[in-house]
Amino acid sequence: MALSRRSFSALAGSAALGLTLGGSGGPGAPSAYAARSVPTGPAPAPPSADGRRHTIGYDHHSLVVDGRRLVVWSGEMHPFRLPSPSLWRDVLQKMRAHGYNAVSIYVSWNYHSPAPGHYDFTGVRDLDLFLRMAAETGLYVILRPGPYINAEIDGGGFPGWLTATPGTARTADPTYLKYADEWLTAVNRIARRHLFTEGTGTILLYQIENEYDAHVSEPSGRDYMSHLYKKVRRDGIDVPLFHNDKGRNGYWIPGTFDTGGEKGNWLYGFDGYPSPAQLPPDWGHFGPGGLKGGATASPRTPGFVPEFGGGWFDPWGGAWFQGKGYAESRRTRDAAYERRFYLTNLANGITLHNVYMTFGGTSWGWLPAPVVYTSYDYGAAIDEARNVTEKIAPMHELGHLLQRVPDFAKLDRAEDVRADGLKVYHLTNPDTEAHVYVVRNDGTKEVTSRLPTAAGDLPVTVPAQDAKLLTTGLSLGKRKLRHCTAQPMLVINAGRQDIALFAGRYGEMAHLVLECPVEPVVQRLDPEAAWVYDRNALYVNVPLGQGGLTRVLVERGESETPLLLLFADDATAVRLWPYDTPSGTVFVYGPALLRHVTLNGSTVELTGDTIEETGLEVWGPRGIEKVTWNGRPVPTRLTTSKSLYAETLVPGVPEVRLPELGGWRMRAENPEAWPNYDDSAWRTADRTSSYSTTPVPKGQPVLFADDYGFHYGDVWYRGTFTDSTGIEEVSLGYSTGTQGLLMAWLDGEPLGTHRMPVPDNSTVRKGSWGATATFPVREELRGPGRHVLSVLVRRMQHDQDGKALDTHKAARGLTEVSFKGASPKVGWRLQGAAAADPVRGPQNNGGLYGEREGWHLPGLADRDWKTVAFPRAERRQGVTWYRTEFKLGVPVGIDASVGLVLEDDPYRSYRAQIFLNGWNMGQYINDVGPQHTFVLPNGILRTRGTNTLALAVLSELTTLSGPGRVRLALLGSAAGGVPVTPVASPGA
């Protein structure tokens, strides 16, 4: 029964009844380039490898796919940062379920090419498999193969071997182009099998280069971009191409370089990572315009942001986030940040969005660039352990809105509107005359104001540092919305009824007014709702979230199609899942994740995840009678809202128990420091010139590791000379990435350790660090005869080449050696990593003795190693290995994400490489941090079986060394998940 007007007013306040009074606003003038020829209509169906040819066009509003407007809501993930292909499907399914319709991926040259002419696309590098998964999930792909990608990865994606080649990278230099062409040929051979235009996959867009802001006005730059464009086209890639401008510079807009006569197939895009401390920028309709205005630099192509900050990376030492790591990145760039900044983008006409990152993952092994440590969590909406965080809510709501409400694909700026204390953007759709208002509060206190709209003044409350999207005149199926103070999330048709969902913050009062020329039959299906019909309109008030999902059913009146109004707070909205099937849309409420829906006769077969026990409600096409959840029948009843409602709760995830780590065995190494060690098989340092950007000291041989084929991880040097009499000091010049380290021994006796400083706010972007370590030579080490100077350099990674200055070629390893008191003639040999691991790849191993001997591998006979317990407290200089095994018994059907946690006295100076089943899962630096937890991805981790864990610890002589406490931690768990195939882990 409807409330009386008196009761309604008492509950919700008389203001709601006054929403129809007054009136201001109106449709604004359409843009000069409004594409009337492509009217507003339904979005294209979700993509798949359907075997049909498709067209991809655009105008200044949006992409146009098969004649229908498409708003791209994409999330960035990198397959190379998740070395377990089974889990790619998990992340892709989470993205699709949470409203993304595309995934953007870098393809990193260094990850696939251990040597010139060699390209590996197998195992964890199977690009073809990833592209098939994306198509099976129903996601478009934005492919970004470089050749340069930056991406906070070693060398910006350039392979290590490229550092020792002639030619200037990222220019039209023929030598460089030869190698770049080989790389693109290898990638494009796979990519052209997955083009959406051909119906064989879902690649929608393809990027050449990355944030290329060097040589823009020079022939070498223009010729380079032209070469890449023509090369990709020759390789059969026929989807639109684009480049991402590093900021709003107007670089590489259409017409700025030769595309071989092809027109209309090049998009301008620009990247943006605005700080949460600044106001959301206007990079489009409401901006200053011109070449520096963002989207206005290319007024005939749609507004495109190939990268927009879904978080930010963290440097060694954590200077940017006060040592608090990615938790602080996620806190400062939270859900409210996303609403303010992404809604501002939408208001500015941006219809191609890519959220960088949506899932950050792990820069395992020697993948990370110098500016980051192992974790690449990024503060993203899906964390490194694959948990969906609170940041997903605005992404989920906006993503489904942009897919399910076609008005947003074609918005023009309308006349200005003002509301006290708020920033207001006003847009309108020229076809439907729907009005959109983005209302932003940039202050530190909540603001309540009145917003003049095309349908009357609307009371609106916006929390501090937050934003809302409001609409008037929006079609809700067969009926028309006058206005609502909550944001629309979707409008669908399921089971011959329309469903409209509105969402907002918990506790907010949603005021909705529906145009109803004829009085309808209204049912309040949940007690939180209040409604009244008055003066040809239906008024509904709902306090969001107090009862979970609130339902109001509107029937008859001017339409025979029922309208189900749903109201949800953010926590409830992310448990609402639309899913398109060949028979129609299925809409599900309740679980933590909906992965897949199949209609099998009258049965709806659902798969997904639960964390806590939950109710389950399903709307779908007519004729459905039964529901299964993850293969098990769920008893249901039919509700008034035409849903199937579970009569029992769906179980949550049971407790997952992890073992304590014990049974450690230890063995010290670095025999390379011993004077009688046989180094005859090592490379002789006999080069006198280098292609490095680091000068070779006059009169000395080249000592740079890359020049001798050692591109990743640690490198050892042994210098042999006669007669150390008179030597007072030895000075070792060396060059590394951030947090590099050098250890030196003379005749097996430690001289000391030197390390690069921890970066501060002014040096976090510094990628190459050079220093000279000077050690005194004690009297007892001086004398005639043969002597051996042994040096271990933890080189860290190559610098990126963001400015196209060949900075990836800066030296790594020793650069210069000198002595005080004498000038011995030294013969140098060096040794780095052995041959690249055929399964794990070139970035897995460095040049430690234990790595070369397989001490990191499962199956090693280590029974003769010393038994030890943690915590440890030793003082030595060098490398010590620790190994243990542990068994897990996670039940089938449970997705448990497990991490390894290392903790110790923060003043102890040591670091550890972490190997799980032979896979190098990252580097821990105890006294630098901020990372203490390392994700162990399922597939590499045997969740039902035995695992081998090895730690290679580099101890400095200055302090006691651990490890301290080492334990497993449950980072998240769910009942459901995806089937996981073990990743190959060959033993010793």
Side-chain angles (χ1 to χ4, degrees):
M1 178 181 294
L3 294 176
S4 69
R5 288 182 187 150
R6 178 176 299 175
S7 300
F8 179 87
S9 297
L11 174 66
S14 59
L17 292 178
L19 296 182
T20 58
L21 302 178
S24 64
S31 166
Y33 301 107
R36 299 284 184 178
S37 60
V38 185
T40 300
S48 65
D50 57 11
R52 303 172 184 170
R53 292 188 64 84
H54 298 275
T55 61
I56 307 171
Y58 59 83
D59 59 18
H60 91 286
H61 281 112
S62 69
L63 289 185
V64 178
V65 171
D66 296 333
R68 295 185 176 187
R69 292 196 175 278
L70 174 71
V71 177
V72 174
W73 189 248
S74 171
E76 186 89 11
M77 73 165 290
H78 300 149
F80 55 82
R81 285 189 162 111
L82 185 55
S84 177
S86 298
L87 299 184
W88 297 344
R89 190 180 301 275
D90 174 66
V91 175
L92 290 171
Q93 289 182 349
K94 285 172 178 171
M95 290 173 61
R96 185 214 60 79
H98 284 292
Y100 295 90
N101 60 1
V103 58
S104 172
I105 65 165
Y106 279 132
V107 189
S108 192
W109 188 356
N110 61 9
Y111 193 64
H112 296 275
S113 182
H118 293 269
Y119 299 97
D120 180 5
F121 289 94
T122 64
V124 298
R125 294 164 175 77
D126 193 340
L127 176 62
D128 188 86
L129 175 61
F130 182 89
L131 295 174
R132 293 200 309 271
M133 284 185 179
E136 291 162 1
T137 308
L139 291 172
Y140 293 107
V141 175
I142 301 174
L143 194 68
R144 308 205 290 160
Y148 180 78
I149 65 171
N150 207 68
E152 288 77 61
I153 192 171
D154 181 272
F158 283 154
W161 56 260
L162 194 69
T163 64
T165 63
T168 303
R170 308 184 76 189
T171 70
D173 183 289
T175 302
Y176 166 72
L177 289 182
K178 171 182 176 293
Y179 292 123
D181 282 356
E182 288 179 0
W183 162 242
L184 292 175
T185 296
V187 174
N188 293 339
R189 184 178 294 119
I190 298 169
R192 68 173 173 244
R193 299 199 296 263
H194 297 272
L195 298 174
F196 182 64
T197 46
E198 303 297 322
T200 54
T202 57
I203 295 176
L204 180 75
L205 302 172
Y206 182 112
Q207 178 180 308
I208 59 173
E209 251 290 342
N210 186 80
E211 295 186 334
Y212 187 53
D213 62 353
H215 315 298
V216 174
S217 59
E218 303 168 14
S220 63
R222 293 194 299 271
D223 291 348
Y224 174 46
M225 290 293 284
S226 178
H227 177 93
L228 295 179
Y229 189 104
K230 295 173 184 176
K231 164 63 179 170
V232 171
R233 286 290 186 243
R234 286 196 306 271
D235 286 348
I237 307 302
D238 62 359
V239 300
L241 307 183
F242 72 96
H243 174 265
N244 56 332
D245 192 356
K246 187 179 183 179
R248 278 64 50 206
N249 304 298
Y251 295 158
W252 311 118
I253 61 175
T256 53
F257 65 97
D258 178 18
T259 57
E262 182 177 78
K263 295 182 180 179
N265 224 3
W266 174 257
L267 297 174
Y268 171 71
F270 59 92
D271 292 349
Y273 292 89
S275 164
Q278 71 183 82
L279 293 179
D282 290 322
W283 290 335
H285 285 327
F286 292 86
L291 285 176
K292 303 295 183 181
T296 56
S298 182
R300 298 181 187 274
T301 60
F304 186 9
V305 183
E307 295 181 26
F308 196 84
W312 191 243
F313 63 83
D314 197 27
W316 282 108
W320 274 335
F321 297 112
Q322 300 79 52
K324 299 176 183 178
Y326 284 114
E328 185 68 3
S329 175
R330 188 170 286 108
R331 187 191 70 81
T332 56
R333 291 163 173 81
D334 60 3
Y337 167 90
E338 290 175 327
R339 280 189 292 271
R340 289 176 70 216
F341 285 78
Y342 276 99
L343 286 175
T344 300
N345 279 356
L346 181 63
N348 274 272
I350 310 299
T351 57
L352 283 79
H353 311 75
N354 181 50
V355 182
Y356 190 107
M357 298 292 296
T358 292
F359 168 76
T362 306
S363 298
W364 58 281
W366 295 105
L367 280 173
V371 292
V372 292
Y373 45 88
T374 298
S375 175
Y376 200 67
D377 177 280
Y378 216 79
I382 303 174
D383 71 16
E384 186 183 3
R386 298 178 290 110
N387 298 306
V388 175
T389 71
E390 292 182 356
K391 286 183 62 168
I392 204 68
M395 301 302 184
H396 181 95
E397 294 164 14
L398 276 172
H400 287 299
L401 173 74
L402 297 175
Q403 291 186 58
R404 303 284 174 172
V405 182
D407 303 67
F408 290 89
K410 190 176 182 181
L411 292 177
D412 294 317
R413 181 174 179 175
E415 63 184 32
D416 290 343
V417 171
R418 290 181 173 81
D420 291 344
L422 299 171
K423 172 74 173 178
V424 181
Y425 299 88
H426 178 203
L427 304 105
T428 189
N429 184 296
D431 299 331
T432 67
E433 298 185 353
H435 289 254
V436 174
Y437 304 85
V438 172
V439 186
R440 203 177 74 210
N441 180 1
D442 296 322
T444 58
K445 295 182 180 180
E446 180 179 273
V447 171
T448 297
S449 187
R450 297 193 73 81
L451 175 68
T453 76
D457 286 359
L458 186 63
V460 59
T461 298
V462 185
Q465 300 285 294
D466 210 331
K468 283 186 175 182
L469 183 147
L470 307 174
T471 56
T472 67
L474 195 68
S475 292
L476 306 183
K478 300 297 190 296
R479 303 176 193 262
K480 183 77 73 172
L481 174 73
R482 184 177 295 176
H483 46 59
C484 184
T485 59
Q487 175 177 307
M489 178 175 140
L490 55 78
V491 180
I492 61 175
N493 182 275
R496 297 188 184 176
Q497 71 175 347
D498 296 322
I499 300 176
L501 171 60
F502 295 83
R505 312 298 81 75
Y506 178 85
E508 290 181 349
M509 185 65 74
H511 304 293
L512 179 144
V513 181
L514 190 68
E515 299 283 0
C516 294
V518 180
E519 183 171 2
V521 175
V522 183
Q523 296 185 67
R524 179 182 62 172
L525 304 182
D526 295 285
E528 293 78 20
W531 67 269
V532 66
Y533 178 76
D534 183 62
R535 289 180 285 180
N536 300 323
L538 175 67
Y539 300 85
V540 181
N541 276 13
V542 176
L544 297 179
Q546 292 187 10
L549 184 65
T550 302
R551 308 156 183 84
V552 176
L553 182 62
V554 183
E555 297 180 288
R556 301 179 187 172
E558 75 278 10
S559 175
E560 290 302 313
T561 302
L563 172 63
L564 180 62
L565 296 171
L566 302 178
F567 299 88
D569 67 321
D570 294 330
T572 302
V574 297
R575 295 166 55 213
L576 286 155
W577 314 98
Y579 195 101
D580 294 316
T581 76
S583 300
T585 301
V586 174
F587 191 46
V588 178
Y589 170 49
L593 181 69
L594 180 69
R595 293 184 181 274
H596 192 71
V597 177
T598 300
L599 295 182
N600 186 1
S602 62
T603 301
V604 183
E605 299 173 349
L606 309 175
T607 60
D609 296 0
T610 58
I611 297 174
E612 299 175 346
E613 64 177 13
T614 180
L616 184 65
E617 188 171 7
V618 181
W619 291 267
R622 288 170 62 91
I624 64 170
E625 299 175 352
K626 300 176 183 178
V627 175
T628 65
W629 176 255
N630 288 342
R632 296 185 177 182
V634 178
T636 61
R637 59 178 173 83
L638 184 64
T639 72
T640 305
S641 70
K642 302 179 178 61
S643 67
L644 294 177
Y645 193 90
E647 295 181 319
T648 59
L649 295 176
V650 177
V653 61
E655 180 183 6
V656 175
R657 296 185 179 181
L658 301 177
E660 293 186 2
L661 295 177
W664 290 98
R665 296 177 179 272
M666 179 198 80
R667 185 172 180 180
E669 58 135 283
N670 51 275
E672 299 94 337
W674 304 340
N676 59 349
Y677 178 80
D678 181 8
D679 61 15
S680 59
W682 287 21
R683 290 292 306 273
T684 301
D686 53 5
R687 295 180 178 270
T688 57
S689 63
S690 172
Y691 296 117
S692 171
T693 55
T694 303
V696 178
K698 186 177 181 180
Q700 295 205 18
V702 174
L703 296 174
F704 313 155
D706 286 295
D707 286 70
Y708 298 94
F710 305 125
H711 305 303
Y712 304 107
D714 300 300
V715 61
W716 273 97
Y717 296 84
R718 284 171 56 87
T720 304
F721 60 96
T722 56
D723 196 355
S724 62
T725 304
I727 297 179
E728 300 173 15
E729 292 178 348
V730 56
S731 293
L732 304 170
Y734 72 116
S735 177
T736 72
T738 307
Q739 280 303 287
L741 172 147
L742 177 149
M743 294 178 173
W745 294 259
L746 182 58
D747 298 335
E749 293 296 320
L751 295 180
T753 297
H754 186 279
R755 59 194 296 182
M756 300 299 179
V758 179
D760 57 22
N761 281 320
S762 64
T763 57
V764 290
R765 289 184 178 274
K766 183 178 178 180
S768 289
W769 299 69
T772 298
T774 298
F775 301 112
V777 176
R778 300 188 302 276
E779 183 67 34
E780 58 268 27
L781 296 176
R782 304 175 192 172
R786 178 179 178 271
H787 297 275
V788 178
L789 177 61
S790 301
V791 181
L792 172 64
V793 179
R794 173 142 292 181
R795 40 175 292 151
M796 303 301 278
Q797 291 87 7
H798 302 93
D799 197 358
Q800 299 176 110
D801 191 28
K803 292 295 183 182
L805 298 173
D806 267 356
T807 47
H808 62 291
K809 292 183 177 180
R812 292 295 183 261
L814 282 181
T815 56
E816 183 176 9
V817 180
S818 62
F819 299 86
K820 180 181 178 180
S823 300
K825 184 180 176 67
V826 182
W828 286 100
R829 292 179 181 270
L830 68 161
Q831 176 66 53
D837 188 306
V839 173
R840 301 174 181 94
Q843 287 92 0
N844 195 72
N845 296 347
L848 296 180
Y849 179 85
E851 290 177 291
R852 303 197 307 271
E853 294 295 313
W855 291 6
H856 60 298
L857 296 173
L860 179 76
D862 60 5
R863 292 301 176 186
D864 59 338
W865 289 27
K866 181 181 178 181
T867 301
V868 295
F870 290 167
R872 301 285 294 167
E874 292 187 328
R875 187 185 297 275
R876 70 181 297 265
Q877 176 178 290
V879 186
T880 307
W881 283 75
Y882 300 88
R883 287 171 54 93
T884 190
E885 290 185 347
F886 63 91
K887 292 183 179 180
L888 295 179
V890 178
V892 175
I894 303 302
D895 180 7
S897 184
V898 178
L900 184 74
V901 181
L902 294 88
E903 299 166 309
D904 206 344
D905 182 334
Y907 295 101
R908 292 184 176 180
S909 298
Y910 69 92
R911 57 187 68 192
Q913 288 293 116
I914 299 165
F915 293 92
L916 175 68
N917 296 325
W919 292 80
N920 182 347
M921 296 316 303
Q923 180 175 191
Y924 169 73
I925 305 183
N926 180 68
D927 57 335
V928 174
Q931 185 174 6
H932 289 268
T933 300
F934 295 77
V935 174
L936 308 177
N938 298 344
I940 289 177
L941 178 71
R942 307 293 189 254
T943 57
R944 287 178 294 280
T946 300
N947 297 275
T948 300
L949 180 64
L951 304 177
V953 177
L954 270 68
S955 305
E956 301 179 29
L957 200 58
T958 54
T959 69
L960 292 174
S961 170
R965 295 169 295 281
V966 182
R967 59 184 173 86
L968 299 175
L970 185 65
L971 305 180
S973 63
V978 296
V980 176
T981 300
V983 180
S985 295

